[in-house]
Amino acid sequence: MIMNLLCFLSARNQCWLWLLLYSFFCIKIARALIFTFQVGAVIEDGEKVCTGIADAHLGYKFAVDRMNGVSGSTPLSEQKRRGLVTQMFIKDAEGNEHRVSFNYTRVAYECAGSYLDNFALHQGLMSDLVNQTHFLFGSSPVQAGIENDIAHKARKLLYHCCVTPDAYYAQDTPYIFGAPASNSKYTLQALKSMALAGGVRKLFVFYLEDNEFTESTCLSAVQYVNDVVVHLAPDFQIVGSVKYNADKVQVPNFIEETVVEEAVRLGAEAIIGCDGERTGHIVAEALADRGVYLKSLFLTVAPARKDFVATVGPRAAENVLSAVQWHPSMGYADSFFGTSAGYTSDFEAVFGTEPSYLAAMASATVFSLAVAIKGAFERCTFTQASMDADALLFDTSAIACKDAIGQKYLGNGYDLIRKSLEVQSLETVVGRIEFNQHRRNVAKEPAITQIQSGVLECVMPLEFANKAIVMPMPAPPMEEESSQEEHIGDLPRDAFIIVVVVILGVALLLAVGVVLLLQWRIRHTSDIFSQLHVPLDQLDIIHPPERLADGSWESGKAKFCSSLVSLEPLSEIRTSASMATAQVKHRHPLSVSSKDAVCEALSLEASSSAEVSVEVLDQEDPPQSMEKQVLSSKLDMGVNFVHGNTLNLKPHTTPHMAYSQVLSLVWQCQRLQHPSIVPVLGASLSLPSMPPGMAVLITECQELGSLSSVMEMDDLMVLDIVKQLDVAKDIAQALAYLHTKEDPNLGAVLPNKLSGVSLNKYCRAKVHVPLTALVPDSGKITKRQSRFGWGASQASSPSRMSKQGVQEARVKGPSAGERADVLQYGLGVVDMLAPQAASQPHSEVTSGSYSELRNLSPSSSSGSAQGLGISTSQLHLLQSRHCPALIELLCQCCNLDAQQRPSFAQVFERLELHSLDIVHAAQQAPSTTPSFNPMQPPRQSADELLYDLFPAQVADALKSGRLPDPEPYPCVSLFFSDIVGYTELCSKLSPLQVMAMLHRLYMRFDQLAQELDLFKVETIGDAYMCVANLRSPQPECHAALMAAFAFGCRKAANEEFVCPSQPELGCIHIRCGIHAGPVMGAVVGTLNRRYCLFGDTVNVASRMESTSVCDKVQCSATFMQLLQQQWPEAAGTAQPQGERAIKGKGNMKTFFLYPPSKPWACGNLPLNSGRLK
């Protein structure tokens, strides 16, 4: 029982959805099922083969692994990217989809000495396999007859991937199917080309007569010559033929002396040979050894093998013809493997070798059978809630089907699949599959291949040929007699030719090198762009970026490559080509005194091309809000003050650039690798709901959001001094890294204090690098940047240093951009360490471009500390809470004299050095009186907290230092609840928003528990557990109290929004479960002690909740009996749900509770009697 409770508590967040689905599908019979069909083949061992058919095993395995999603096959993400089908499903008449998978078994064996021994061995293995599988796959044409007989007698479907003689299909064998083209078509195209294009007039034929495949192939050739070719070319004739059996082949030199010598003696110009791999090798080598070069040589099987050229040598193999079922150059494609080229690359990636035509045909056979299974049950309804493949195939009661005219079908599922395959018309990666009445594929044509330059090329049919056929075969070059040596100029002719060839070759090599270099650079740039640009179809957008009321943008969220990412609008950059400027007249009054204060803080800047004239009128008492408005406007425009009544305001210009230049900035940002910098994944353009021309930066999602939002939500999450110190060091370390880099050389990074800083789930700070900080100056564009289109036409950023400035910075210390960031950093850290003073106005220097901040004068306004950018109140608060070393460092960072500010490397070193002093001083500082916050409850004493967490007698024992004894409770009422759709809500909300939702909901639950004097046991995630008749004796009303509590919790949840800022998500919905019975209470462990309940009652109560439904309160029959005694009105409104299967308990009667019209009244029973007052 204890293990069951622990499993429940630890696995709740993963299991509740499946429990909900289970309870839902108990009502509905039809459900998604998984059918695993057993398939198999008997194929020779790969190292020692008799028929060379072992490649078929790789094709079967590749297709089955891909359909089952086995590790090592093509990744699902790659298949989805190419738009391919990744899984197979059976779709029944009700529209339900059921997963289809194959369990493939290969029975391997080593070849015996003779054909008869091999036949017997193959037959025995096939007889065993037919009883273990649902469907069989064929192996070689040599064993086809045996396999057909066994499959036909067992009434098992046998699907051949390799060519099988036509005679086998003419028999009445309804369970035998063949995907390859007929071998009778193998030689037809080659014979026609020999007669019409090759100039062949004498043909010689040889074949193995005791093999139906080889015999029928050559006999078809002979018949085609007599019936067709002689009419196209009357002088074309067969000058001779030799047939032999397998025993003759074993005779030494039989092929060379009988077959080859006979062909040479008869003067044959072309040979067609139908035999196995070994005989083909012998014939090719014998012809080459004799120096006989025919006009054409056609051999079955051997030339299609990968080792043919290596075995017989290039001289003997060149231009030999053969027939295959498939070649990678053939332009076939399907929805499962994609194109022939895609299939080839995927196969090679898995097995390290290119697929043969046998492997491709085997893969297509698996796909064809899966499609037949998929479409066989479209007019069927599954009558059983759970069944396996055997029931689907052979149990006629498991399915209820109708035929095409609506009549009831009386057969089983196996016959449905066979009939589905019979009428199949399917495009595959090896061509179309369409069967005739004998279940032979008649829609496919074989391909004629020829070895050219040692490679097997496709030469016919012409629509798929990647090379032209070479016929007649070229004779070896003849040696010509050398003539008298000639001279060209002073050089012999041969020497002159050599010199010219060398010069032209060197020039050609140089030209090719230049072209290749240019192509490489273009391709490299294009590859970078393709890697950085993220198409919209690869983004699963959860919620897009939203524009806020102040004109700024809130980042969105999306799923990219199964990872949660942030969508950050690049509002500071536009991809258009031009920008309009305007002149604005500012009519608001500003006092002379305030103007002078600002003029003292800002030095004179060079005026911009577009100026804004502001009239300043002298007034005695100007509105204070106007001064704040002008000061805060420096965030958006540079300000130049001159003596007089006019201020020149420099507009904050938004850089405009091409999208390729934006991607170049993204590429540079990606190269900034640091643990405290937000990783950039790419960029996207034209995101829905975004303004035209605004790109979106895709970055790693930071779970806790921005640092400023975390500081604002201090009622939910408070950063103590340790976390604050970690955040400050993370930011300093990241900025020290950024400002020490020379490529790219960055300007100011922090836009406004710490607004560009986010926190991850470990509460570690990460800095967002704005792309505008990477915009290059016109005078210092690197070679890498020039490849992306940067030129002198781009406006240089005022925040960047010249090349001379970089060299000076190495001598003088931090750059101007780093000093500006140090000021923003100091102001932000002060706000974080002194939050109570953050709401008070800073000095006027709080924001703006660093070109303004670097020119601040040491003087200050009346509200600031002397020479500092922070207020006097903040400085006093820092002095009262923190150590002198930290205060001195922050004062140097906020110094209005930029030359007095330290570098970030120095900031980080000093924070590391004084870490212990900083933490110790903050922890020892006297706590200040916090401002009143209605969302925070008043502080509790230790005793109050102890009596809240434990029953009175347990709390008393713990206070006295004793471990309380376990205490039995004969009858209590237990309540469990969880939130419907909690996992989905967590994916749509930030962690802080999830915390806020649970906080609001559990506050209301806790209030109800206090009002009814119930004991809250614990909460885990979205699960809430409460008990009655435990803290205080409530034997006469604990069931009624718990029912009233459940009704109140459901009502409270339905009144609470999931997220007040996202009303479209609606309100919270919960499901509840109640049970009554005995439990044992005890304090478990010695660390983080909690009061836990144990017993079967706890397990049953949790099952009542997990099998409940949305907004329902489900209880057991035991609880219902108590409720009838204590609250008959509520028991009268209950609806019985019959018996339900409860895990570990069997079938139990359950009820749904509904609140009666008359609320329950407890009478004079004491409530809250057990609480410490």
Side-chain angles (χ1 to χ4, degrees):
M1 291 185 290
I2 296 176
M3 292 302 298
N4 290 337
L5 176 60
L6 293 177
C7 290
F8 166 79
L9 296 177
S10 62
R12 167 168 297 275
N13 288 339
Q14 292 79 15
C15 296
W16 68 267
L17 179 58
W18 300 111
L19 295 171
L20 175 62
L21 293 174
Y22 177 80
S23 62
F24 172 77
F25 284 122
C26 284
I27 301 173
K28 187 177 179 182
I29 294 178
R31 64 186 64 198
L33 303 173
I34 298 178
F35 297 106
T36 300
F37 298 96
Q38 304 297 325
V39 298
V42 178
I43 299 178
E44 305 150 9
D45 184 72
E47 298 180 357
K48 182 180 180 182
V49 297
C50 303
T51 60
I53 208 70
D55 286 352
H57 161 65
L58 299 182
Y60 290 140
K61 187 177 187 307
F62 177 76
V64 171
D65 287 351
R66 187 171 187 144
M67 187 171 70
N68 295 344
V70 174
S71 176
S73 61
T74 306
L76 291 179
S77 58
E78 175 62 15
Q79 298 180 49
K80 292 179 179 178
R81 186 188 68 80
R82 288 154 53 184
L84 302 179
V85 174
T86 58
Q87 294 177 339
M88 288 292 180
F89 294 88
I90 294 174
K91 190 172 184 180
D92 60 24
E94 295 181 353
N96 299 311
E97 291 186 342
H98 312 279
R99 175 75 188 279
V100 175
S101 64
F102 285 169
N103 184 16
Y104 168 64
T105 300
R106 178 223 183 163
V107 179
Y109 67 95
E110 292 187 359
C111 299
S114 65
Y115 278 105
L116 294 178
D117 294 336
N118 293 329
F119 288 163
L121 181 60
H122 195 98
Q123 184 177 15
L125 296 175
M126 191 72 178
S127 299
D128 295 335
L129 182 63
V130 74
N131 298 319
Q132 304 172 15
T133 58
H134 298 127
F135 306 99
L136 297 166
F137 292 132
S139 58
S140 74
V142 176
Q143 314 290 357
I146 297 174
E147 294 177 343
N148 290 353
D149 292 339
I150 295 174
H152 178 66
K153 292 178 182 178
R155 302 176 66 85
K156 290 292 181 70
L157 192 150
L158 171 62
Y159 204 168
H160 287 288
C161 73
C162 304
V163 64
T164 306
D166 292 344
Y168 291 144
Y169 294 96
Q171 304 171 5
D172 185 17
T173 52
Y175 292 88
I176 311 302
F177 291 78
S182 172
N183 63 305
S184 62
K185 301 179 181 180
Y186 269 21
T187 59
L188 306 187
Q189 297 183 75
L191 285 171
K192 192 181 296 184
S193 298
M194 291 178 191
L196 300 179
V200 176
R201 294 298 176 263
K202 296 180 179 180
L203 176 68
F204 182 83
V205 179
F206 70 91
Y207 60 89
L208 180 67
E209 67 177 348
D210 54 1
N211 183 305
E212 292 204 29
F213 164 74
T214 56
E215 182 181 38
S216 60
T217 301
C218 271
L219 290 181
S220 299
V222 172
Q223 183 177 357
Y224 187 74
V225 170
N226 296 330
D227 295 344
V228 178
V229 178
V230 294
H231 299 290
L232 300 176
D235 51 348
F236 188 93
Q237 61 177 329
I238 299 177
V239 297
S241 64
V242 174
K243 60 181 180 179
Y244 49 88
N245 55 32
D247 294 333
K248 294 283 185 69
V249 178
Q250 305 300 324
V251 177
N253 301 323
F254 171 80
I255 298 297
E256 298 93 326
E257 296 175 358
T258 302
V259 177
V260 177
E261 288 293 340
E262 181 67 8
V264 174
R265 185 184 67 80
L266 295 175
E269 298 174 346
I271 293 178
I272 289 183
C274 305
D275 201 338
E277 185 175 356
R278 177 174 174 273
T279 301
H281 292 173
I282 295 173
V283 171
E285 290 176 332
L287 290 172
D289 292 342
R290 288 164 172 75
V292 177
Y293 291 89
L294 305 172
K295 292 184 177 180
S296 182
L297 174 62
F298 182 98
L299 299 174
T300 59
V301 180
R305 300 300 182 199
K306 299 174 184 176
D307 61 345
F308 181 74
V309 177
T311 303
V312 304
R315 185 169 64 96
E318 196 66 11
N319 303 115
V320 177
L321 296 171
S322 187
V324 296
Q325 295 285 342
W326 173 83
H327 189 272
S329 67
M330 305 180 78
Y332 296 123
D334 61 37
S335 60
F336 189 71
F337 297 107
T339 63
S340 297
Y343 172 84
T344 302
S345 62
D346 292 346
F347 188 98
E348 189 173 3
V350 175
F351 297 109
T353 181
E354 290 186 357
S356 66
Y357 74 89
L358 295 175
M361 289 300 301
S363 296
T365 302
V366 175
F367 172 56
S368 173
L369 178 59
V371 172
I373 295 174
K374 173 184 176 183
F377 301 93
E378 292 178 347
R379 291 192 291 269
C380 297
T381 301
F382 295 177
T383 60
Q384 296 181 6
S386 176
M387 59 181 175
D388 56 9
D390 288 331
L392 177 68
L393 295 176
F394 306 111
D395 188 356
T396 57
S397 64
I399 56 175
C401 306
K402 294 182 180 180
D403 57 19
I405 61 175
Q407 299 296 324
K408 183 177 180 182
Y409 175 77
L410 300 179
N412 57 22
Y414 201 95
D415 288 333
L416 283 176
I417 294 174
R418 180 174 59 84
K419 292 179 180 179
S420 174
L421 189 59
E422 286 179 350
V423 299
Q424 187 176 86
S425 179
L426 179 66
E427 289 290 345
T428 71
V429 75
V430 299
R432 175 172 287 276
I433 294 179
E434 191 171 317
F435 300 99
N436 61 8
Q437 68 272 22
H438 300 302
R439 292 157 297 282
R440 177 64 178 266
N441 185 11
V442 295
K444 179 170 175 51
E445 293 290 334
I448 302 299
T449 57
Q450 187 176 39
I451 297 177
Q452 298 182 11
S453 301
V455 179
L456 190 68
E457 308 286 2
C458 181
V459 295
M460 285 184 290
L462 295 179
E463 60 267 25
F464 297 129
N466 62 331
K467 295 287 184 179
I469 189 172
V470 177
M471 192 181 297
M473 299 167 60
M478 300 290 293
E479 296 184 1
E480 298 181 356
E481 297 181 359
S482 60
S483 59
Q484 186 177 1
E485 190 174 16
E486 297 180 0
H487 284 73
I488 300 178
D490 295 335
L491 295 175
R493 183 174 64 90
D494 293 342
F496 178 81
I497 293 175
I498 291 174
V499 172
V500 172
V501 169
V502 170
I503 295 174
L504 293 177
V506 171
L508 181 60
L509 289 176
L510 290 176
V512 170
V514 172
V515 172
L516 291 178
L517 179 60
L518 292 175
Q519 289 182 346
W520 176 84
R521 292 188 62 179
I522 295 173
R523 185 166 55 251
H524 179 65
T525 304
S526 177
D527 290 344
I528 291 175
F529 287 169
S530 63
Q531 293 172 9
L532 295 177
H533 174 69
V534 179
L536 295 181
D537 56 2
Q538 295 186 16
L539 289 174
D540 184 8
I541 298 177
I542 299 174
H543 65 82
E546 296 181 359
R547 190 160 194 169
L548 304 179
D550 59 357
S552 62
W553 287 87
E554 182 183 22
S555 61
K557 287 185 179 179
K559 285 290 188 64
F560 174 60
C561 295
S562 301
S563 298
L564 191 63
V565 296
S566 293
L567 305 177
E568 301 181 3
L570 295 177
S571 56
E572 70 273 16
I573 294 177
R574 290 289 187 275
T575 57
S576 57
S578 61
M579 176 184 66
T581 59
Q583 293 184 352
V584 180
K585 197 76 170 180
H586 205 301
R587 298 294 183 183
H588 294 290
L590 183 65
S591 67
V592 175
S593 61
S594 63
K595 179 196 71 175
D596 293 339
V598 177
C599 288
E600 290 177 355
L602 298 176
S603 63
L604 185 61
E605 291 263 359
S607 61
S608 173
S609 58
E611 294 184 349
V612 181
S613 177
V614 180
E615 293 184 357
V616 181
L617 304 178
D618 294 337
Q619 293 186 356
E620 296 181 359
D621 297 317
Q624 186 178 3
S625 61
M626 185 60 225
E627 180 179 355
K628 294 181 180 179
Q629 180 180 357
V630 173
L631 294 176
S632 63
S633 67
K634 297 200 298 292
L635 180 62
D636 297 324
M637 57 178 62
V639 184
N640 291 331
F641 292 92
V642 296
H643 297 289
N645 294 333
T646 302
L647 290 79
N648 294 327
L649 300 184
K650 182 187 302 181
H652 175 71
T653 57
T654 301
H656 284 61
M657 56 188 68
Y659 185 54
S660 60
Q661 295 173 325
V662 175
L663 290 180
S664 74
L665 297 180
V666 176
W667 177 65
Q668 295 180 61
C669 199
Q670 271 193 340
R671 295 170 58 236
L672 300 173
Q673 299 292 325
H674 192 274
S676 297
I677 293 178
V678 175
V680 176
L681 306 178
S684 186
L685 193 63
S686 302
L687 198 70
S689 75
M690 297 296 296
M694 182 179 289
V696 173
L697 195 65
I698 300 173
T699 64
E700 181 184 89
C701 183
Q702 305 305 311
E703 292 81 359
L704 296 184
S706 66
L707 175 61
S708 58
S709 65
V710 172
M711 294 167 59
E712 291 172 359
M713 301 178 70
D714 57 357
D715 58 331
L716 295 178
M717 181 175 182
V718 178
L719 297 178
D720 57 18
I721 185 59
V722 177
K723 290 187 176 65
Q724 290 173 345
L725 182 60
D726 288 340
V727 169
K729 290 195 293 186
D730 289 342
I731 301 172
Q733 195 174 21
L735 292 171
Y737 163 79
L738 292 173
H739 285 293
T740 55
K741 291 187 68 66
E742 295 184 2
D743 185 16
N745 178 30
L746 280 76
V749 175
L750 294 178
N752 180 21
K753 299 184 183 177
L754 303 182
S755 60
V757 178
S758 297
L759 298 181
N760 63 10
K761 61 183 178 181
Y762 303 109
C763 208
R764 301 311 297 257
K766 288 181 178 284
V767 177
H768 292 263
V769 179
L771 296 189
T772 50
L774 299 167
V775 176
D777 284 349
S778 59
K780 58 186 187 69
I781 299 173
T782 64
K783 293 182 178 180
R784 183 182 294 109
Q785 292 166 339
S786 65
R787 295 206 305 267
F788 295 99
W790 293 106
S793 60
Q794 267 67 37
S796 63
S797 170
S799 63
R800 306 304 298 271
M801 296 186 296
S802 63
K803 186 174 183 180
Q804 182 180 0
V806 175
Q807 296 175 351
E808 293 176 356
R810 296 173 182 171
V811 179
K812 296 181 180 179
S815 65
E818 183 174 2
R819 294 183 191 277
D821 277 343
V822 170
L823 176 58
Q824 298 285 11
Y825 170 83
L827 297 175
V829 173
V830 168
D831 280 354
M832 179 173 64
L833 296 177
Q836 292 182 343
S839 59
Q840 301 177 4
H842 284 291
S843 66
E844 56 271 16
V845 186
T846 58
S847 60
S849 64
Y850 93 87
S851 60
E852 304 157 9
L853 300 176
R854 68 181 181 183
N855 294 316
L856 294 176
S857 64
S859 60
S860 62
S861 61
S862 59
S864 303
Q866 180 64 31
L868 303 178
I870 60 176
S871 64
T872 305
S873 61
Q874 284 184 300
L875 180 59
H876 291 166
L877 186 58
L878 288 173
Q879 292 172 343
S880 66
R881 291 186 176 182
H882 299 283
C883 70
L886 177 61
I887 298 172
E888 179 185 1
L889 176 61
L890 293 178
C891 288
Q892 292 178 1
C893 292
C894 298
N895 199 315
L896 296 182
D897 185 1
Q899 299 302 321
Q900 301 300 320
R901 301 172 197 155
S903 67
F904 278 110
Q906 296 170 337
V907 171
F908 178 74
E909 291 175 0
R910 292 170 66 176
L911 289 176
E912 280 282 296
L913 180 63
H914 300 290
S915 294
L916 295 178
D917 295 338
I918 294 172
V919 173
H920 179 74
Q923 292 176 345
Q924 297 299 321
S927 60
T928 58
T929 304
S931 58
F932 174 71
N933 186 352
M935 292 297 294
Q936 293 181 344
R939 293 179 59 87
Q940 292 178 302
S941 66
D943 284 350
E944 288 178 327
L945 184 59
L946 186 63
Y947 281 91
D948 262 349
L949 295 176
F950 301 97
Q953 66 276 18
V954 176
D956 292 338
L958 292 174
K959 285 179 62 178
S960 62
R962 296 183 295 104
L963 182 65
D965 297 328
E967 184 173 357
Y969 296 92
C971 184
V972 298
S973 293
L974 269 174
F975 168 88
F976 279 92
S977 73
D978 69 355
I979 298 176
V980 177
Y982 178 71
T983 302
E984 183 180 358
L985 291 176
C986 290
S987 66
K988 295 180 180 179
L989 302 175
S990 68
L992 286 177
Q993 290 173 324
V994 175
M995 288 168 53
M997 175 187 69
L998 295 177
H999 181 64
R1000 288 184 280 104
L1001 180 64
Y1002 289 164
M1003 281 180 61
R1004 300 193 63 174
F1005 284 13
D1006 294 343
Q1007 183 178 1
L1008 284 172
Q1010 288 179 339
E1011 292 175 356
L1012 298 175
D1013 198 19
L1014 307 182
F1015 180 63
K1016 173 185 174 182
V1017 181
E1018 61 181 333
T1019 62
I1020 298 181
D1022 64 325
Y1024 191 96
M1025 180 180 177
C1026 191
V1027 62
N1029 199 24
L1030 187 142
R1031 182 195 297 275
S1032 304
Q1034 300 160 330
E1036 303 300 330
C1037 62
H1038 64 87
L1041 287 170
M1042 190 55 74
F1045 177 73
F1047 298 149
C1049 289
R1050 184 179 62 181
K1051 182 176 182 295
N1054 294 156
E1055 293 173 352
E1056 282 291 338
F1057 281 105
V1058 171
C1059 182
S1061 62
Q1062 300 181 43
E1064 66 275 7
L1065 296 179
C1067 294
I1068 302 173
H1069 297 278
I1070 63 172
R1071 55 170 162 256
C1072 310
I1074 310 176
H1075 181 57
V1079 296
M1080 176 70 72
V1083 176
V1084 180
T1086 58
L1087 184 64
N1088 294 334
R1089 294 176 175 176
R1090 296 184 304 170
Y1091 193 70
C1092 301
L1093 300 181
F1094 304 94
D1096 187 60
T1097 302
V1098 179
N1099 295 333
V1100 176
S1102 70
R1103 296 290 185 263
M1104 291 297 105
E1105 173 269 321
S1106 61
T1107 58
S1108 183
V1109 297
C1110 179
D1111 290 335
K1112 298 293 184 184
V1113 179
Q1114 183 175 241
C1115 72
S1116 63
T1118 303
F1119 182 84
M1120 176 57 65
Q1121 292 176 0
L1122 292 173
L1123 189 63
Q1124 288 173 345
Q1125 301 172 9
Q1126 300 178 12
W1127 193 2
E1129 292 83 0
T1133 62
Q1135 291 185 359
Q1137 300 302 305
E1139 291 190 350
R1140 287 193 173 183
I1142 303 301
K1143 183 177 180 181
K1145 300 296 293 181
N1147 293 331
M1148 294 183 65
K1149 291 183 178 180
T1150 64
F1151 301 83
F1152 281 164
L1153 299 181
Y1154 299 93
S1157 57
K1158 181 180 178 181
W1160 176 76
C1162 187
N1164 296 322
L1165 291 174
L1167 298 181
N1168 295 315
S1169 58
R1171 297 184 58 78
L1172 181 67
K1173 298 297 183 182

